[in-house]
Amino acid sequence: MNILYIAYSCDPYNGSEDKIGWNVPLAAAENNRVFVLTKEEHRENITKYCSENAVKNISFFYVDINSIYKKLFKPPFYSGRLNIWHRKALSAAKEICSKNNIDIIHQITPIEFRSIGKYYKIKNAKFVCGPLAGGQDVPKPLMTYLGREKPVEALRMLINRVARAKIKMHGILKKCGCVLYANNETKDFLEPDSSRIIIPDTALRNDELSSANENEIKNGEFVFLAVSRLTATKGFGLLFDALKDIPKALEYKVRIVGEGPLQNELKALFASDENVFRHTEFAGKIPFVEMGKEYQKANALIFPSFREASGSVMLEAMANGIPVITENRCGGSVICSDDNAYLYSALDKDEYIKNLSAVMQHCINKPDEVQSKGRAAKARAKNFSFEEKVNAFLKVYNSLN
């Protein structure tokens, strides 16, 4: 089968969407002829990787847009940049298809539903889009944590609803051969009555699944790891309030990995409470290739993000044998279960704080149970390899031909 992947994000050395855009084509190329259309910024890293490694059955093509669009369109207007790129990439995709008898065009990144390219216009090739995300909202009780980002989040929600109306008006989803979703929230936002396939957008490489791990509590100190950009929607305000409720006598450490626009404010916030500050460590940004060491030193991952599409760090933690503490919605409800994770939910802000704090205290007091769930998490992670993901995609492709 000849497959063209539209992967705006595609970098062999990065995580998140770049990881998806790189590894899906790589896995598909084992038994198919693969073409990848990506942005110009990735050319250097892709060329470097291909020169140093055996990459077979893949051809890469690059599209660039005027730098002014990159400066103008930033969150929450990032989809504007993506759609401009898609318009230019459409011409390149038509040429690739005409010269290579492409069977399937699959847009795998970006995953946000506001940026569906018009590749369904290309004749003689079936268009698959997704897994799509972006339809999930911040729960109302948690909006108070957004601070100055609250107007931006409100604007994002408005843009989402305008985009949904436009998609419905033009019948875009019906024009696609198949639409996949990364979480139930996005599916319900766009197609509440459909039975579309739910597949997490992220996955794991084989080398991420191969590392053995049985993390022990060293010196009686339980280590919680939190990994993400330091922004309001990642839930660090909620985490701070939950930590204030943990008794001083308990021994634990919260190691926060990442950087972002709120890093100075969050450091000041956590330092405002003596007990919380004593138990918290800000590690800053750590290269993706070195994150395995961080997971190996932790006992559980805290992932309090308010509206994550799936959460690649959750899978990475599970692959390293540590359970995830997260809300029972979005990626958490798709990737995790009570057998291998600690899932919480709530109806109001106080209940969110209470339930998250209670889960953390339970972990500190029940280390054997945590390790047991970690083993179950590692077993569960094997179901989310890129090979398994591509096999699911191939079933979709074959159903369209």
Side-chain angles (χ1 to χ4, degrees), residues 117-137:
K118 297 181 179 180
Y119 304 100
Y120 49 77
K121 290 186 174 182
I122 299 177
K123 297 179 180 180
N124 302 319
K126 301 294 185 180
F127 178 47
V128 178
C129 191
L132 292 176
Q136 63 279 1
D137 287 338

Side-chain angles (χ1 to χ4, degrees), residues 16 25 54 105 126 157 220 242 324 377 398 400:
S16 193
I105 304 170
K126 301 294 185 180
M157 293 166 66
V324 177
N398 288 325
L400 297 175

Side-chain angles (χ1 to χ4, degrees), residues 263-326:
Q263 57 190 26
N264 291 333
E265 289 182 34
L266 288 173
K267 287 180 180 179
L269 175 65
F270 279 66
S272 67
D273 186 286
E274 182 179 351
N275 187 50
V276 171
F277 181 69
R278 182 171 68 89
H279 291 285
T280 306
E281 177 182 352
F282 284 84
K285 184 178 181 180
I286 292 177
F288 177 70
V289 294
E290 296 180 14
M291 276 305 301
K293 298 176 183 177
E294 293 297 323
Y295 293 119
Q296 292 288 330
K297 292 185 291 186
N299 301 111
L301 177 81
I302 306 177
F303 195 68
S305 181
F306 295 159
R307 56 166 175 78
E308 203 74 21
S310 290
S312 58
V313 295
M314 289 196 293
L315 278 182
E316 291 162 10
M318 292 167 67
N320 278 278
I322 62 175
V324 177
I325 301 170
T326 193

Side-chain angles (χ1 to χ4, degrees), residues 80-204:
R81 179 196 309 191
L82 299 175
N83 286 321
I84 290 171
W85 184 87
H86 280 307
R87 284 199 289 271
K88 191 169 182 181
L90 180 61
S91 297
K94 288 179 179 178
E95 185 175 354
I96 294 169
C97 289
S98 66
K99 293 181 178 179
N100 298 282
N101 193 29
I102 298 296
D103 301 297
I104 296 290
I105 304 170
H106 187 171
Q107 180 183 322
I108 49 174
T109 65
I111 61 171
E112 61 177 52
F113 77 89
R114 297 178 298 275
S115 304
I116 301 175
K118 297 181 179 180
Y119 304 100
Y120 49 77
K121 290 186 174 182
I122 299 177
K123 297 179 180 180
N124 302 319
K126 301 294 185 180
F127 178 47
V128 178
C129 191
L132 292 176
Q136 63 279 1
D137 287 338
V138 174
K140 288 184 179 180
L142 300 175
M143 289 290 286
T144 58
Y145 282 112
L146 299 187
R148 66 172 181 269
E149 290 185 22
K150 190 173 181 179
V152 176
E153 187 66 21
L155 180 58
R156 172 188 169 274
M157 293 166 66
L158 176 61
I159 292 172
N160 273 2
R161 282 146 183 79
V162 171
R164 178 177 61 182
K166 182 179 178 181
I167 287 171
K168 185 176 181 179
M169 180 176 65
H170 294 287
I172 291 175
L173 298 179
K174 295 179 180 179
K175 294 177 182 179
C176 301
C178 182
V179 177
L180 307 170
Y181 288 102
N183 54 59
N184 285 289
E185 286 77 11
T186 300
K187 181 192 78 68
D188 292 343
F189 181 74
L190 293 177
E191 299 182 284
D193 299 323
S194 77
S195 56
R196 298 283 196 181
I197 299 173
I198 304 294
I199 302 178
D201 58 291
T202 189
L204 295 162

Side-chain angles (χ1 to χ4, degrees), residues 6 14 19 55 63 72 120 126 175-176 188 203 214 232 249 256 270 294 302 328 363 373 400:
I6 309 299
N14 289 330
K19 177 183 176 182
V55 178
V63 168
L72 284 176
Y120 49 77
K126 301 294 185 180
K175 294 177 182 179
C176 301
D188 292 343
E214 186 75 23
I256 298 173
F270 279 66
E294 293 297 323
I302 306 177
N328 191 18
C363 289
K373 286 205 177 195
L400 297 175

Side-chain angles (χ1 to χ4, degrees), residues 334-376:
V334 176
I335 294 173
C336 305
S337 72
D338 288 330
D339 294 333
N340 52 60
Y342 293 93
L343 301 172
Y344 61 88
S345 57
L347 297 177
D348 58 47
K349 180 179 177 180
D350 289 341
E351 191 177 11
Y352 268 106
I353 296 169
K354 176 183 175 182
N355 291 351
L356 176 54
S357 182
V359 167
M360 295 180 68
Q361 292 177 53
H362 180 85
C363 289
I364 297 168
N365 291 319
K366 300 287 185 178
D368 291 342
E369 179 188 286
V370 172
Q371 287 190 335
S372 178
K373 286 205 177 195
R375 290 189 290 269

